[in-house]
Amino acid sequence: TGDGTNDAPALKKADVGFAMGLAGTEVAKEAADIILLDDNFSSIVTAIKWGRNVFDSIRKFLQFQLTVNVVAVFMAFIGAVLIEQSPLSAVQLLWVNLIMGTFASLAL
């Protein structure tokens, strides 16, 4: 975190730099990644909670999508090898992707 001109190099070097919005200098605000509008350190805790929640949601979404698509490809491949015909038609595979993609995106 920083609010002065001398904090700008540290804000640029940090993974995520926080600058004070009301009391901070323009140099610190330009160097920071996130600007706290209310100059309250509890806002940092809230921002971290939101960021972790977004990260977890994206990770769960990607895990769900990969699972559904890997199973669909595996079924089509095994069906083609064993019974020489896919157990799911192209329209059925598209339907599964449409339905699962919709439910997964609603979960975000």
Side-chain angles (χ1 to χ4, degrees), residues 28-50:
K29 290 178 188 177
E30 289 176 9
D33 298 312
I34 298 174
I35 300 172
L36 299 175
L37 297 177
D38 59 356
D39 287 359
N40 191 353
F41 281 107
S42 66
S43 298
I44 295 174
V45 175
T46 305
I48 290 171
K49 286 180 183 177
W50 276 92

Side-chain angles (χ1 to χ4, degrees), residues 12-104:
K12 281 191 178 193
K13 189 174 182 181
D15 291 332
V16 178
F18 287 91
M20 301 299 178
L22 299 176
T25 62
E26 288 301 316
V27 175
K29 290 178 188 177
E30 289 176 9
D33 298 312
I34 298 174
I35 300 172
L36 299 175
L37 297 177
D38 59 356
D39 287 359
N40 191 353
F41 281 107
S42 66
S43 298
I44 295 174
V45 175
T46 305
I48 290 171
K49 286 180 183 177
W50 276 92
R52 288 180 178 168
N53 189 16
V54 168
F55 178 77
D56 288 341
S57 296
I58 291 172
R59 188 178 60 200
K60 288 176 187 176
F61 171 78
L62 290 175
Q63 180 182 5
F64 178 77
Q65 288 291 28
L66 284 172
T67 302
V68 168
N69 288 321
V70 165
V71 168
V73 167
F74 184 72
M75 279 182 55
F77 180 74
I78 294 299
V81 169
L82 294 179
I83 60 175
E84 297 177 3
Q85 162 180 340
S86 179
L88 297 172
S89 69
V91 174
Q92 288 172 327
L93 285 171
L94 289 172
W95 183 251
V96 167
N97 279 330
L98 177 70
I99 296 299
M100 291 302 154
T102 302
F103 289 144

